[in-house]
Every structure is written in C-alpha cells, then in structure tokens.
Amino acid sequence: NGEKTGLWKVYYDNGKLWEIGKYKNGQETGLWKVYYYSGRLWKIGKYKNGKETGLWKYYDVINGKLIKTTKY
C-alpha cells in the first residue's frame, strides 16, 4: 500500500548509519537510534504511533557524552 513497514535503515553518503528503527502501518514505532555524520550516536528513544514517547537521550557530537534528556 506504499506504507513504510518493518526495519528501516538510512545511511549517510559516507556509508555510515544515519538512523535505524521500525515502522508499523506507516508510522515509527519502538526504539529508534539516530547518528551524527561521524557515526557517533546523536539520540535514542522510542516512538508509539508515530510520536516520540518516554525518555529520549541526546549525546554530544565530539565526546559522545550525554548532554540532554527529554521526556515526552
């Protein structure tokens, strides 16, 4: 039906992973991870019915340390 479904991986032009997560019925669901161009983890959190939910963690591009948490 043209909807995104299942495991989803997107890569930067340098071949490194940009984001990984799952789609169900065309909406983000479950755990998602998003990475900086360098390959370091940028943010991690969960989606439910296409919306951010729970605790999301954000990391620094240079040293990879946790810099922020946001609760949805």
Side-chain angles (χ1 to χ4, degrees):
N1 296 338
E3 289 183 345
K4 296 175 184 173
T5 187
L7 183 63
W8 188 260
K9 292 182 181 180
V10 180
Y11 295 88
Y12 286 106
D13 60 1
N14 65 3
K16 293 189 179 183
L17 188 61
W18 175 11
E19 63 182 357
I20 183 170
K22 291 182 182 177
Y23 278 92
K24 183 176 180 181
N25 299 322
Q27 296 181 330
E28 297 95 335
T29 188
L31 184 68
W32 276 72
K33 294 179 181 178
V34 183
Y35 298 87
Y36 290 107
Y37 189 80
S38 65
R40 281 195 187 271
L41 182 63
W42 171 27
K43 62 182 178 178
I44 183 170
K46 291 184 179 181
Y47 281 93
K48 184 175 182 180
N49 299 321
K51 295 183 180 178
E52 296 162 322
T53 186
L55 188 66
W56 278 72
K57 296 179 180 180
Y58 297 81
Y59 297 89
D60 185 80
V61 65
I62 296 171
N63 59 26
K65 291 184 179 180
L66 181 66
I67 56 173
K68 178 176 127 178
T69 58
T70 301
K71 189 169 184 177
Y72 293 93

